[in-house]
Amino acid sequence: MRYFVTLSYDGTGYHGWQIQPNGVSVQETLQQALSTLLRVPTEVVGAGRTDAGVHASMMVAHFDWEGDETLDGAQLVYKLNKLLPHDIAVQKVERVADDMHARFSARARTYHYYICQHKNPFRRAYSWYVYGSLDFSRMNEAAATLKEYSDFTSFSKLSTDVKTNLCTVTEAYWEEIAPGEWRFTVTANRFLRNMVRAIVGTLMEVGRGRMSVEGFRRVIEQQNRCSAGESVPGNALFLVDIQY
C-alpha cells in the first residue's frame, strides 16, 4: 500500500531534502521517524530535491507499507509530529493508488523567492536583503520570456545526473507583497538543480540595469551556465505547491 505524506519544513538546519553523507537532511529525518513508528525500515521518496537551507511550505513524499492493516492517517500525523523536530511538520498522511509517485506523478511545482529592500531583522532568515533600487517592471518583462523557452541549461547546476534540461515554465513574475518587500513566483512541470536561484540572480542583473531583456534572452539561448548571473542565497527560497 502506498501513502503520500504532505509536510512542511524550515530548511535552515538541513543539508537539503535528499540524504547526504556529510550532513542531516529532511528525508533522512522523516525516514527515521517513520521507521520508528512503523517498526520496520521505511524509505520515503520526495517530490523534489530542495537545496541546503531552502524551505518548503508544501512538500510531498511517498512510502510503501507492507502490513496487513490500513494505516490510520490521522493517528500517524499526530505521532509523527510528536516525534519529529520542531522545524518539520506533517499535515497529512493519505493512502493513494499504488502507481502514484511523489516525484514522477507531479504535474507542476511552484516556488517563491523573497527579497526585502530595507534591512529588517525579522525578515533576514526567510528573505534576501537587497540594497539599492531595482526595476521590477523590466524584471517582469524578462521573467515573462521564460515561458517561451524549454531548455534551461543556463540556469542548471553543472555536472548533475539529470538526463534532460528541458522544462515547461507556465508562470514567472514579481509582485510587491508589502512596502519594499517583493516575491518572485515561478511554476513549471519540473525544475533543475539550482534553477530558481540562478534565474533570480540573473533577473537581478536586469533589475540593476546591467543586462537588457534581450540580454536575458541571449543567456537562455546560449545554454551556458557561465552566461547567467550568480545564484542567490537559498534561505529566501520556498517550495510552496505541488500539483498532481
Side-chain angles (χ1 to χ4, degrees):
M1 290 180 279
R2 179 155 291 180
Y3 289 82
F4 268 20
V5 181
T6 303
L7 67 150
S8 56
Y9 54 85
D10 180 329
T12 304
Y14 297 95
H15 286 239
W17 162 264
Q18 192 173 19
I19 291 177
Q20 304 289 332
N22 58 345
V24 179
S25 69
V26 180
Q27 181 186 24
E28 177 186 17
T29 305
L30 180 60
Q31 280 190 179
Q32 289 175 347
L34 269 172
S35 298
T36 297
L37 292 175
L38 300 179
R39 298 181 181 179
V40 61
T42 304
E43 179 183 2
V44 298
V45 177
R49 303 176 180 179
T50 55
D51 293 334
V54 175
H55 319 289
S57 57
M58 179 188 182
M59 169 62 91
V60 177
H62 77 246
F63 69 92
D64 292 325
W65 169 243
E66 304 295 337
D68 296 328
E69 297 182 359
T70 302
L71 295 173
D72 184 327
Q75 276 296 309
L76 196 52
V77 168
Y78 172 73
K79 292 178 180 178
L80 278 170
N81 282 329
K82 290 195 69 174
L83 193 58
L84 287 166
H86 69 279
D87 48 12
I88 301 176
V90 173
Q91 287 79 45
K92 184 166 56 176
V93 176
E94 58 184 338
R95 186 177 176 184
V96 296
D98 290 345
D99 61 350
M100 285 288 289
H101 194 284
R103 179 181 176 189
F104 298 125
S105 297
R107 296 181 178 181
R109 300 159 174 86
T110 299
Y111 281 89
H112 284 164
Y113 194 89
Y114 295 87
I115 68 171
C116 189
Q117 292 188 281
H118 49 264
K119 189 174 182 180
N120 186 330
F122 305 108
R123 295 285 184 269
R124 64 184 177 83
Y126 305 109
S127 69
W128 180 35
Y129 169 48
V130 178
Y131 178 77
S133 61
L134 294 169
D135 187 337
F136 284 95
S137 177
R138 188 64 61 85
M139 290 162 67
N140 267 331
E141 188 180 345
T145 68
L146 293 167
K147 295 183 284 185
E148 302 174 22
Y149 294 90
S150 57
D151 191 319
F152 293 100
T153 300
S154 293
F155 301 126
S156 174
K157 188 174 182 179
L158 300 175
S159 303
T160 64
D161 57 359
V162 299
K163 296 180 180 179
T164 175
N165 288 336
L166 301 181
C167 309
T168 301
V169 175
T170 54
E171 61 178 355
Y173 60 91
W174 290 91
E175 60 183 335
E176 191 171 22
I177 56 175
E181 296 180 18
W182 291 78
R183 179 176 68 201
F184 179 60
T185 298
V186 59
T187 300
N189 64 327
R190 62 190 292 265
F191 286 90
L192 307 174
R193 291 284 303 278
N194 207 53
M195 179 173 164
V196 180
R197 293 164 62 191
I199 287 174
V200 172
T202 311
L203 289 173
M204 288 292 116
E205 295 297 292
V206 176
R208 289 172 172 139
R210 299 172 183 169
M211 181 185 294
S212 66
V213 174
E214 285 306 310
F216 186 81
R217 284 184 179 274
R218 286 194 293 271
V219 166
I220 302 173
E221 293 167 358
Q222 286 170 3
Q223 298 177 16
N224 183 345
R225 180 64 186 90
C226 295
S227 301
E230 295 182 358
S231 292
V232 291
N235 68 291
L237 181 61
F238 288 75
L239 172 62
V240 300
D241 189 38
I242 304 167
Q243 299 173 27
Y244 290 92

